[in-house]
Amino acid sequence: MQKSSEFGELRSAFRGFTIPIAIAALVWFVGFTLAAMYLPEVMARTVLGLNLGIWLGFAQFFTTFLITWVYIGYANKNFEPRQSAIRSKMEG
């Protein structure tokens, strides 16, 4: 089954969605961390009553939940039907 075209298409679709999202999230996290380490004067600027570092920290949480929500919706729509078809073919 692993060598079937259906499985290959599923794997390709999965990688095509998850790898770019994972790279973007990693770049965002590393950028935030580097800014906190090397630009403390920028991160200390006050924006809407809190410093920029706190706002960017909140944004880290927000983007994590956003990525999870988008992934679940995408996976339920695009991956799950393909997985179910492969599973039913394998089982019988």
Side-chain angles (χ1 to χ4, degrees), residues 35-54:
M37 289 171 47
Y38 296 110
L39 301 170
E41 64 282 350
V42 174
M43 299 295 265
R45 289 185 185 156
T46 301
V47 178
L48 299 173
L50 294 174
N51 68 20
L52 184 60
I54 296 293

Side-chain angles (χ1 to χ4, degrees), residues 1 3-4 13 16 20 28 39-40 45 49 61 67-68 72 76-78 80 82:
M1 184 52 79
K3 294 181 182 184
S4 71
W28 164 224
L39 301 170
R45 289 185 185 156
F61 283 105
I67 288 169
T68 302
I72 289 170
N76 286 339
K77 182 178 168 185
N78 295 298
E80 189 57 37
R82 293 177 183 182

Side-chain angles (χ1 to χ4, degrees), residues 52-71:
L52 184 60
I54 296 293
W55 286 117
L56 292 177
F58 287 148
Q60 285 286 320
F61 283 105
F62 175 74
T63 55
T64 300
F65 290 116
L66 179 65
I67 288 169
T68 302
W69 179 67
V70 168
Y71 173 79

